[in-house]
Amino acid sequence: MGVLHALKLGLLLPSKRAVFQLNRVKTKDFLTYLVLLNVLISFPNGVRLISKSISSGEFGKESLLILFIYPSFIMLFGTIGIFLLASIGVLIRAVAKRKLVYQLLWKMTVYALTYPIMLYTLFDVLGITQWALNLVLLVLFLVIFLKMILIYPRIRKGMDG
């Protein structure tokens, strides 16, 4: 099961069945999936950095930066990005009056990013990097995320207050 199951769920979103199965993914598998998405998004640029460094003869000096610091920054900024996108989910949850906790919104954010990250990486490998493309990928994420949130039931009157 594991990470491949997590990937399958990410690819099946925003189907109702996949959304409800997200909460059943083990934390270990979820965190591995999160790391793999970060590796995927950083891979094309990482390869470019390594090849540029090798061709300039500076790889020995720059290897620490490229192999350790760059991936660390990708994980840090990826986590911050997920935090910000999950915060948007908190606003959507409040407006839509859905029964969701922040931890699940955070998890849903990661899985909703599956298609946008895969497409971003593909376009990056092909050398297609436009701000409008990034905007389209953000809209794709928001559509998937919104559909996922709206699957959850509304808060009934009198329950939380």
Side-chain angles (χ1 to χ4, degrees):
M1 193 143 132
V3 176
L4 290 178
H5 179 67
L7 174 62
K8 179 182 171 189
L9 291 177
L11 294 173
L12 291 174
L13 292 175
S15 79
K16 188 174 187 175
R17 183 173 179 227
V19 169
F20 287 120
Q21 286 184 356
L22 293 180
N23 215 17
R24 294 187 182 103
V25 174
K26 294 178 183 171
T27 303
K28 173 189 73 148
D29 297 331
F30 169 72
L31 292 175
T32 304
Y33 186 72
L34 174 63
V35 169
L36 286 176
L37 284 181
N38 278 298
V39 166
L40 181 64
I41 202 165
S42 66
F43 187 73
N45 197 39
V47 169
R48 281 192 290 273
L49 284 172
I50 290 172
S51 65
K52 182 179 174 186
S53 181
I54 289 173
S55 67
S56 71
E58 299 291 321
F59 186 72
K61 295 177 187 174
E62 298 171 350
S63 60
L64 175 67
L65 288 169
I66 294 171
L67 298 176
F68 297 104
I69 298 188
Y70 174 69
S72 298
F73 273 116
I74 292 298
M75 288 301 296
L76 173 66
F77 290 121
T79 303
I80 291 169
I82 292 166
F83 164 76
L84 294 172
L85 292 172
S87 298
I88 292 170
V90 170
L91 295 173
I92 295 170
R93 174 195 70 187
V95 170
K97 296 182 172 97
R98 302 298 169 162
K99 292 168 74 171
L100 285 165
V101 294
Y102 181 77
Q103 294 85 342
L104 185 55
L105 284 168
W106 212 88
K107 201 178 229 188
M108 289 167 61
T109 301
V110 171
Y111 286 106
L113 283 168
T114 301
Y115 280 115
I117 285 177
M118 288 180 156
L119 290 171
Y120 176 85
T121 302
L122 175 66
F123 290 131
D124 194 17
V125 166
L126 297 174
I128 304 168
T129 53
Q130 300 286 330
W131 67 269
L133 178 64
N134 293 340
L135 185 62
V136 168
L137 294 175
L138 178 63
V139 169
L140 174 62
F141 161 77
L142 289 172
V143 167
I144 293 169
F145 196 41
L146 178 65
K147 287 183 177 184
M148 291 170 68
I149 290 172
L150 294 178
I151 287 173
Y152 279 84
R154 287 183 169 271
I155 296 172
R156 289 186 284 180
K157 298 226 185 252
M159 277 188 66
D160 293 329

